[in-house]
């Protein structure tokens, strides 16, 4: 089996889950999030785009209901001993087959925690599940139960995070060598991703973000490429990924000569990141982290150009996003704990002047303060040509 953690590690995770289920008085969990399945059992697939569910009972039984295409995937990548198949055929309902499985597992009348808030469950499936189990069991939204457990990383997980961070640094340095007047965004993107894959890494949870010229102000991927001009700006947001664990980086690189606006915005990003670091300590809330970012930006009259969030947790994530719980935004009461992996991004987009500036890196939280996982400097990167 292609398991990336020891039996002891998986047993400890199951024990933590059972403890939380006991606190919540849950008889079983219905897991639909691929991240939850990977964390708990090692199960590694993109088959969650179809219906699948891992049933975990309070006494530790685990049964996976999935499609035939993922049967071998589960056997090869997970420690799940009991894998059941729902059959694709006209009029077939995987939810009905799940209900039969739950009856077989003696869960009639049970209290079931359900992962509703995940890309692994469509709205259609959610409605069918609620209808099918309405009189069968008591359903509770337990979407945040495992994400809260996953937010604090074990030593074994941190080994993978550090490797992801090393790959991210290597990818940035390789891509930076390609940035010059006339360079094609496609080549830069290929070098970023190729460096990570050649280094033993994985595809990331979402597309790498690349944009130059006016597109440097975007913070999402879009189709289409352009070549860099003699004076330009290019924003890169990407993540090293290793065993699905992510370490993200974000930079805006100047081609030619930076404008005074570039310099001013970079100073603001640097100051905001320093302010954020003072709150990346156990006991601070993610809302306080955001407030530190906002105060630094707003003091420089940049409120119209900043975002309403400034970072989020990272971990083992699957498409369509590498963003994990929790996120740094105003009023978020989630608390920083030791051994969290948190990506902080300072993003400014001045549309009136078509000027972009970003600065972001990933941190490990410790009792003595945040530890940057990237070795790259925070200086404004300028490629003179």
């Amino acid at each position: 089996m292609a398991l990336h953690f020891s039996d002891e590690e998986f047993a400890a995770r199951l024990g933590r889950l059972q403890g939380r289920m006991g606190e919540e008085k849950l008889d079983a969990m219905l897991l639909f999030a691929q991240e939850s399945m990977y964390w708990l059992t090692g199960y590694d697939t993109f088959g969650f785009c179809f219906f699948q569910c891992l049933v975990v009972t309070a006494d530790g039984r685990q049964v996976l209901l999935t499609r035939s295409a993922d049967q071998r995937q589960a056997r090869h990548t997970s420690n799940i001993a009991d894998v059941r198949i729902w059959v694709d055929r006209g009029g077939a309902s995987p939810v009905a087959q799940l209900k039969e499985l739950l009856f077989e597992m003696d869960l009639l009348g049970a209290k079931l925690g359900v992962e509703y808030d995940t890309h692994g469950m469509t709205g259609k499936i959610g409605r069918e599940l609620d209808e099918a189990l309405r009189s069968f069991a008591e359903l509770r939204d337990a979407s945040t139960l495992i994400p809260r457990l996953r937010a604090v990383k074990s030593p074994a997980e941190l080994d993978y995070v550090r490797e992801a961070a090393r790959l991210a640094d290597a990818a940035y340095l390789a891509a930076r060598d390609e940035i010059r007047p006339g360079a094609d965004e496609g080549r830069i993107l290929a070098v970023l991703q190729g460096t990570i894959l050649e280094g033993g890494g994985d595809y990331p949870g979402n597309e790498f973000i690349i944009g130059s010229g006016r597109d440097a102000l975007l913070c999402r991927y879009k189709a289409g490429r352009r070549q860099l001009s003699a004076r330009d700006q290019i924003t890169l947001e990407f993540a090293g990924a290793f065993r699905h664990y992510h370490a993200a980086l974000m930079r805006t690189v100047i081609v030619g000569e930076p404008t005074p606006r570039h310099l001013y915005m970079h100073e603001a990003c640097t100051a905001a990141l320093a302010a954020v670091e003072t709150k990346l300590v156990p006991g601070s809330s993610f809302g306080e982290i955001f407030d530190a970012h906002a105060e630094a930006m707003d003091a420089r009259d940049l409120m119209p150009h900043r975002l309403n969030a400034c970072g989020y947790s990272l971990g083992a994530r699957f498409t369509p996003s590498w963003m994990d719980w929790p996120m740094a935004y105003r009023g978020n009461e989630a608390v920083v704990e030791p051994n969290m992996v948190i990506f902080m991004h300072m993003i400014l987009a001045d549309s009136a002047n078509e000027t972009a500036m970003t600065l972001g890196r990933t941190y490990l939280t410790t009792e003595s303060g945040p530890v940057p996982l990237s070795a790259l400097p925070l200086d404004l990167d300028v490629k003179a040509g």
Side-chain angles (χ1 to χ4, degrees):
M1 291 186 293
L3 291 172
H4 303 302
F5 296 98
S6 67
D7 292 343
E8 292 76 16
E9 175 92 3
F10 284 119
R13 295 176 187 180
L14 177 58
R16 291 175 64 199
L17 174 58
Q18 289 176 288
R20 285 296 304 277
M21 290 171 65
E23 294 170 7
E24 301 291 332
K25 296 180 170 51
L26 295 174
D27 298 306
M29 286 280 292
L30 306 185
L31 304 186
F32 290 90
Q34 183 58 44
E35 294 81 12
S36 296
M37 300 184 201
Y38 180 76
W39 177 80
L40 188 63
T41 72
Y43 181 40
D44 189 352
T45 182
F46 63 71
F48 62 91
C49 59
F50 301 99
F51 179 94
Q52 61 178 13
C53 179
L54 177 62
V55 183
V56 183
T57 62
D59 60 7
R61 288 177 293 160
Q62 300 176 55
V63 182
L64 175 67
L65 181 64
T66 188
R67 297 173 70 242
S68 59
D70 279 296
Q71 181 177 29
R72 291 174 183 81
Q73 197 84 7
R75 300 288 188 204
H76 289 193
T77 67
S78 82
N79 59 15
I80 304 170
D82 194 345
V83 179
R84 312 287 181 91
I85 303 302
W86 66 269
V87 180
D88 295 286
R89 60 175 179 267
S93 169
V95 171
Q97 293 180 58
L98 174 61
K99 183 178 180 180
E100 293 172 4
L101 172 61
L102 296 175
F103 183 81
E104 178 187 328
M105 296 178 71
D106 198 26
L107 291 172
L108 176 64
K111 295 181 177 64
L112 305 179
V114 182
E115 289 188 323
Y116 287 105
D117 188 12
T118 171
H119 304 106
M121 175 187 278
T122 64
K124 178 177 183 293
I125 290 298
R127 293 181 65 177
E128 288 182 10
L129 185 76
D130 287 348
E131 182 62 31
L133 300 183
R134 188 181 308 278
S135 60
F136 180 89
E138 178 183 336
L139 302 186
R140 299 181 184 176
D141 187 349
S143 300
T144 64
L145 198 155
I146 291 183
R148 289 175 183 272
L149 296 177
R150 292 194 303 104
V152 176
K153 307 299 189 288
S154 70
E157 289 178 295
L158 290 176
D159 285 343
Y160 292 156
V161 172
R162 291 188 180 94
E163 180 61 14
R166 186 192 69 79
L167 290 171
D169 279 4
Y172 178 79
L173 293 174
R176 185 187 183 279
D177 288 343
E178 300 292 330
I179 297 175
R180 63 179 70 89
D184 189 277
E185 287 181 356
R187 172 61 183 168
I188 296 166
L189 194 60
V191 169
L192 274 176
Q193 184 67 83
T195 300
I196 292 168
L197 293 178
E198 288 177 3
D202 299 305
Y203 288 114
N206 55 257
E207 297 90 340
F208 286 177
I209 296 156
I210 183 171
S212 60
R214 65 183 303 190
D215 290 342
L217 282 69
L218 304 180
C219 49
R220 295 286 185 267
Y221 173 83
K222 70 169 189 61
R225 305 282 184 266
R226 69 180 287 271
Q227 292 186 334
L228 303 184
S229 57
R231 294 195 66 176
D232 217 324
Q233 57 185 356
I234 180 168
T235 294
L236 304 173
E237 184 181 11
F238 65 100
F242 189 78
R243 304 296 188 261
H244 293 294
Y245 286 84
H246 292 75
L249 278 172
M250 193 171 194
R251 293 289 191 277
T252 298
V253 180
I254 306 304
V255 180
E257 188 77 17
T259 66
R261 190 63 170 166
H262 281 131
L263 297 174
Y264 184 77
M265 290 166 67
H266 180 265
E267 185 277 331
C269 286
T270 303
L273 190 60
V276 159
E277 289 178 352
T278 68
K279 299 298 182 181
L280 273 176
V281 293
S284 292
S285 73
F286 276 74
E288 290 172 323
I289 293 171
F290 172 80
D291 290 343
H293 147 268
E295 288 168 9
M297 295 296 194
D298 298 355
R300 292 164 173 79
D301 297 321
L302 292 168
M303 184 176 69
H305 312 300
R306 65 166 170 81
L307 302 185
N308 292 320
C310 67
Y312 42 83
S313 180
L314 290 172
R317 287 281 288 176
F318 290 73
T319 49
S321 175
W322 66 52
M323 293 187 289
D324 217 340
W325 180 94
M327 182 178 288
Y329 51 77
R330 192 179 303 282
N332 188 347
E333 296 179 355
V335 174
V336 175
E337 299 180 55
N339 295 325
M340 282 182 157
V341 176
I342 303 174
F343 174 50
M344 290 284 100
H345 56 64
M346 308 297 105
I347 300 175
L348 290 170
D350 184 346
S351 296
N353 294 294
E354 293 191 351
T355 302
M357 188 52 58
T358 66
L359 189 63
R361 63 182 177 183
T362 301
Y363 295 86
L364 170 65
T365 60
T366 73
E367 292 287 2
S368 57
V371 177
L373 294 176
S374 170
L376 299 178
L378 298 177
D379 302 332
L380 179 60
D381 215 339
V382 178
K383 294 297 293 287

